[in-house]
Amino acid sequence: MKFIHTADWHIGKLFYGEYLTEEQEWILKNRFLPLVDDEKPDVVLLAGDVYDRSVPPSEAVELLDEMIYEIVGRRKIPFIVISGNHDSSQRLSFGGRLMESGGLFMVGDIKRSVKPIVLEDEWGAVAFAPIPYAEPGTVRTVMKDETVKTHEESVLSLSNYLLSKIDKNIRKIAITHEFVAGGSTSDSERPLSIGGTDLIRAEIFKPYNYTALGHLHSPQRAGFDNVRYSGSLLKYSFSEVTQKKGVIVGELSKDGEVKTKFVPLKPRRDVRIITGLFEDLMKNESLFTDDFLQIELTNDGPVIDAMARLRTHFPYVMALQTKKRVQTGEGARNFDFKKRVNPIDMMKTFVDEFRDEPMNKTEAEYMQKIFEELKGGEFD
């Protein structure tokens, strides 16, 4: 059985004030669907964080609806979707039981939608165990299992329940959205808990031939070769600039062996970091781009109206950083609060601290003029 494993679409993601729905639509229609047509999988697995928040914007809902139609309606490929920690499990699984007959399996609310999904290939049955994200308290109540206190115990409880409903002799694939120990994180992933209780040991997935993971945005194995994260659809933070984005295409053999390959999906706009002097960046036409950028300026002093000026050549500058200054010592300062301080002297001290370079004569004269105007000529 051939499958495509994808995760963390985060449809409706807000990135530095810019909705990425158009970028997500572009990559899904121009990269993902053509890959589906080329690979012709028997099933598509979406391992959580379908949306970026529990109440997504209408454009995000419309895009998911269109993708469901393209995958299930037009191509007649079963589509198994579980909820992640960004999704509303109840909203995502609405109408799921009715849509199962058409090949769409939306699994979110563990009170009514968690059960094995059995599909057939040329060698027989393959059971899919959908384990959506759920808080330990919810699992403890639904499963009536007072031993559940952590995320690992939650997953183990749901997994054991699903395995009890599956013939031991058939091939099995788990789909879940959790933080498996050993995985590499990035800034855009929302923590599942505080204090490390969100960590899951990869060993609990040993009963499965393959485990399709969601939550971590970098494609990677998690403990075992058959326990994998596909990574997110796009780069969702500047900590992800070096990550490749794409999906996993896997094939489950007759004897339960799984072969996988990672297939990169090139976006319309990349997410990159550019570093340099302001003047150099503005003159270097080879750098001008429509990519989403974080620009790090190495100028010693401040650059007036830098963001607006940079956007004349880099329209999608999302973040701007200037040269970091590190002060040595303990940070102690000695001040005589009874002493009257000349404002120009105060400004000279500030400039010296800010840029490690004293105020020159022209700057001092200019500041003197400003202070005199502010004081109506009474400044001394």
Side-chain angles (χ1 to χ4, degrees):
M1 177 169 287
K2 180 183 279 192
F3 59 87
I4 289 181
H5 165 201
T6 181
D8 296 275
W9 286 7
H10 288 276
I11 306 176
K13 175 75 174 179
L14 194 62
F15 182 62
Y16 287 86
E18 186 88 15
Y19 279 105
L20 295 180
T21 313
E22 288 187 7
E23 304 305 316
Q24 293 162 330
E25 180 179 14
W26 189 93
I27 199 168
L28 285 168
K29 291 182 177 180
N30 294 278
R31 295 288 186 261
F32 183 76
L33 288 178
L35 176 67
V36 170
D37 292 334
D38 290 342
E39 295 290 346
K40 297 179 173 54
D42 299 299
V43 62
V44 175
L45 313 175
L46 176 48
D49 281 354
V50 182
Y51 297 120
D52 191 58
R53 56 182 185 267
S54 58
V55 184
S58 59
E59 295 82 4
V61 178
E62 290 170 6
L63 178 55
L64 178 62
D65 179 68
E66 192 168 356
M67 292 306 298
I68 290 171
Y69 172 72
E70 290 291 340
I71 295 168
V72 181
R74 290 189 60 189
R75 291 163 176 80
K76 309 300 179 186
I77 299 172
F79 191 17
I80 302 176
V81 183
I82 67 166
S83 59
N85 59 303
H86 281 250
D87 300 308
S88 165
S89 58
Q90 290 81 12
R91 289 186 177 92
L92 193 69
S93 56
F94 173 79
R97 288 173 290 184
L98 181 63
M99 294 183 284
E100 288 176 5
S101 60
L104 175 62
F105 303 89
M106 304 287 281
V107 184
D109 187 353
I110 64 171
K111 296 176 184 176
R112 56 188 175 89
S113 62
V114 174
K115 62 183 179 181
I117 299 164
V118 180
L119 302 177
E120 299 278 340
D121 67 5
E122 58 186 303
W123 297 300
V126 177
F128 294 84
I131 307 173
Y133 173 81
E135 291 291 339
T138 303
V139 176
R140 184 168 59 248
T141 300
V142 172
M143 303 303 294
K144 297 181 172 58
D145 185 352
E146 293 301 318
T147 66
V148 173
K149 299 291 193 302
T150 67
H151 282 267
E152 180 173 299
E153 290 165 349
S154 298
V155 172
L156 191 57
S157 179
L158 291 170
S159 175
N160 288 339
Y161 169 77
L162 289 163
L163 288 170
S164 72
K165 305 292 183 182
I166 300 172
D167 187 325
K168 293 182 180 180
N169 298 316
I170 69 174
R171 295 161 292 163
K172 306 171 188 67
I173 292 178
I175 314 157
T176 191
H177 190 91
E178 292 288 350
F179 184 5
V180 178
S184 176
T185 64
S186 56
D187 291 345
S188 56
E189 295 138 2
R190 182 184 298 167
L192 301 181
S193 69
I194 297 173
T197 60
D198 55 346
L199 290 177
I200 308 292
R201 290 177 299 117
E203 285 80 5
I204 72 173
F205 301 113
K206 281 186 175 180
Y208 301 97
N209 299 95
Y210 182 79
T211 299
L213 297 173
H215 180 56
L216 299 187
H217 289 184
S218 175
Q220 58 193 292
R221 67 191 289 274
F224 303 103
D225 284 338
N226 64 340
V227 181
R228 290 189 172 272
Y229 287 98
S230 66
S232 57
L233 185 67
L234 293 169
K235 298 175 183 179
Y236 291 129
S237 79
F238 288 106
S239 67
E240 300 178 24
V241 293
T242 60
Q243 295 179 6
K244 293 184 181 297
K245 299 299 179 180
V247 302
I248 291 173
V249 177
E251 290 196 59
L252 180 63
S253 68
K254 178 181 179 180
D255 59 4
E257 293 296 318
V258 176
K259 292 182 179 179
T260 62
K261 64 178 180 180
F262 178 76
V263 181
L265 300 180
K266 186 177 181 179
R268 178 169 64 172
R269 292 190 177 93
D270 201 355
V271 173
R272 300 192 292 124
I273 296 175
I274 294 179
T275 303
L277 293 168
F278 177 82
E279 305 80 31
D280 294 341
L281 296 179
M282 293 294 285
K283 291 186 294 185
N284 191 346
E285 294 185 8
S286 66
L287 293 177
F288 298 169
T289 178
D290 286 339
D291 289 341
F292 295 109
L293 298 178
Q294 174 176 293
I295 292 184
E296 298 178 351
L297 297 180
T298 58
N299 298 66
D300 288 329
V303 179
I304 305 302
D305 203 19
M307 182 69 88
R309 293 163 67 189
L310 284 166
R311 280 183 171 165
T312 61
H313 297 315
F314 308 95
Y316 291 94
V317 180
M318 314 308 289
L320 180 63
Q321 291 189 358
T322 55
K323 191 173 180 180
K324 293 183 175 64
R325 302 196 172 276
V326 179
Q327 294 287 347
T328 58
E330 300 178 355
R333 296 289 186 271
N334 296 316
F335 295 104
D336 182 355
F337 291 101
K338 296 180 180 179
K339 180 181 178 180
R340 184 180 179 186
V341 181
N342 187 300
I344 293 297
D345 292 334
M346 291 176 61
M347 182 58 65
K348 287 179 179 178
T349 301
F350 170 78
V351 170
D352 185 49
E353 290 282 338
F354 182 79
R355 69 183 187 189
D356 296 332
E357 181 182 333
M359 183 184 293
N360 59 41
K361 182 180 178 181
T362 302
E363 291 170 334
E365 290 175 350
Y366 183 73
M367 292 307 304
Q368 178 79 27
K369 180 180 179 182
I370 290 175
F371 279 121
E372 289 177 351
E373 289 176 354
L374 290 173
K375 286 289 187 177
E378 298 178 2
F379 173 74
D380 55 31

